[in-house]
Amino acid sequence: MKLSTLRLWAYIVAVLVVLLLLVACGPQPGVDQLSLDKATLKSCPKDIKFATKLDLDVSGSGRTPELDGARLDIIKEQARTTAICGGHLLVSVFSATSAATVALYDDELTLPGATDNARLRRVTKLVDDISEKVTAAYPPAIKKVSPAQSDITAQFRLAAEYQNQLGSTYRLRLVILTDGFQTVGRRVTAPIEITKARAVGMTVNVPRLPDASVTVAGVGKVAAGSAPSSGMTNALIGFWDGVCHRAQAAQCTVVTDYVAGR
């Protein structure tokens, strides 16, 4: 047999081996949403509902004319978890003061059905309905609040009131979507070491939020103007970590990029 013929057969065999491996392995099927929702249900605390509060900073540097996709995805993810575990969902926009806050959605989330599977199959429609209502309410709501200033710490006070109104059978999940630039009261205004910024945050007067999960996400991301330096972003992260720990929250997460499931 000629050398060229041997090479041709070797090539054919190699191709066949690759094809067989592809057929044998194949693409791994993704996990369906119902399975993910079942896993969420298993992780829900017993005899406790969620008091989920999402606050969107719409001050000058965080203001967009329409609700952006990234924030909407976070709202949908939090709504899904709240619906599965049971609880109340409050979504609002804010800027200068606690008074400058407008609710986009405020309701108890329930899933009717005789079995877990029957209830879980209703989650997607409920989340889609919430998404539509929040998206529609956003443009007129931001017209009611001034973009001039941002009082992020006010949301901690409103969260305490929200928790008290719902009662002890609810556990607070506070999610604040903001670039982190506080413009009133105690704040950091220049890049400083993260430990020093955390110490400043620990001096902020905020109510205690025991057993609460607090997430401050989007820190350092601005919708308008130049992005802050990494040093300034780190200082903001340190500051809000200090504020959260001053509130004695059970879990504090302060990040630039939100991670689902927190």
Side-chain angles (χ1 to χ4, degrees):
M1 190 178 289
K2 293 182 180 180
L3 181 61
S4 58
T5 303
L6 289 172
R7 287 175 176 172
L8 176 60
W9 277 107
Y11 174 77
I12 293 172
V13 171
V15 171
L16 288 173
V17 170
V18 171
L19 289 174
L20 286 171
L21 288 172
L22 289 174
V23 171
C25 297
Q28 296 300 313
V31 180
D32 63 279
Q33 186 62 58
L34 181 60
S35 296
L36 294 173
D37 290 344
K38 286 181 178 179
T40 298
L41 182 61
K42 288 182 179 179
S43 68
C44 295
K46 293 183 179 180
D47 302 320
I48 290 290
K49 293 182 178 182
F50 284 145
T52 303
K53 186 174 187 292
L54 287 109
D55 299 306
L56 286 61
D57 187 346
V58 291
S59 60
S61 55
R63 198 179 189 93
T64 55
E66 305 291 336
L67 183 59
D68 66 86
R71 284 184 166 184
L72 182 58
D73 285 343
I74 295 170
I75 294 169
K76 291 168 71 174
E77 190 250 346
Q78 289 289 331
R80 191 171 208 98
T81 300
T82 305
I84 291 171
C85 293
H88 197 103
L89 176 67
L90 172 60
V91 183
S92 62
V93 295
F94 72 93
S95 61
T97 65
S98 58
T101 302
V102 179
L104 305 180
Y105 186 90
D106 185 1
D107 204 357
E108 189 80 10
L109 305 188
T110 57
L111 297 170
T115 65
D116 287 343
N117 280 359
R119 287 187 288 271
L120 291 177
R121 292 187 189 282
R122 297 175 182 270
V123 175
T124 297
K125 184 180 185 305
L126 175 59
V127 172
D128 288 344
D129 288 345
I130 293 170
S131 174
E132 291 177 4
K133 290 177 180 178
V134 169
T135 300
Y138 179 87
I142 65 172
K143 295 178 182 179
K144 299 178 182 179
V145 295
S146 169
Q149 293 183 314
S150 178
D151 186 2
I152 305 164
T153 57
Q155 302 314 306
F156 284 77
R157 295 191 292 273
L158 292 177
E161 294 175 6
Y162 175 61
Q163 168 74 80
N164 291 335
Q165 289 170 359
L166 291 174
S168 60
T169 58
Y170 288 77
R171 180 177 299 172
L172 179 65
R173 289 166 60 91
L174 174 62
V175 181
I176 304 176
L177 305 181
T178 176
D179 56 23
F181 284 96
Q182 173 89 3
T183 60
V184 298
R186 297 287 290 171
R187 60 193 186 276
V188 291
T189 57
I192 56 176
E193 292 181 4
I194 194 168
T195 53
K196 292 182 179 179
R198 186 178 290 110
V200 175
M202 288 291 292
T203 67
V204 175
N205 184 22
V206 289
R208 291 179 66 250
L209 301 175
D211 299 324
S213 167
V214 177
T215 299
V216 182
V219 178
K221 285 188 173 182
V222 295
S226 301
S229 66
S230 58
M232 187 67 218
T233 298
N234 287 335
L236 291 171
I237 289 174
F239 175 78
W240 289 111
D241 185 64
V243 173
C244 182
H245 282 89
R246 174 65 187 269
Q248 300 180 27
Q251 180 181 347
C252 294
T253 303
V254 184
V255 292
T256 297
D257 297 305
Y258 179 90
V259 178
R262 290 190 181 276

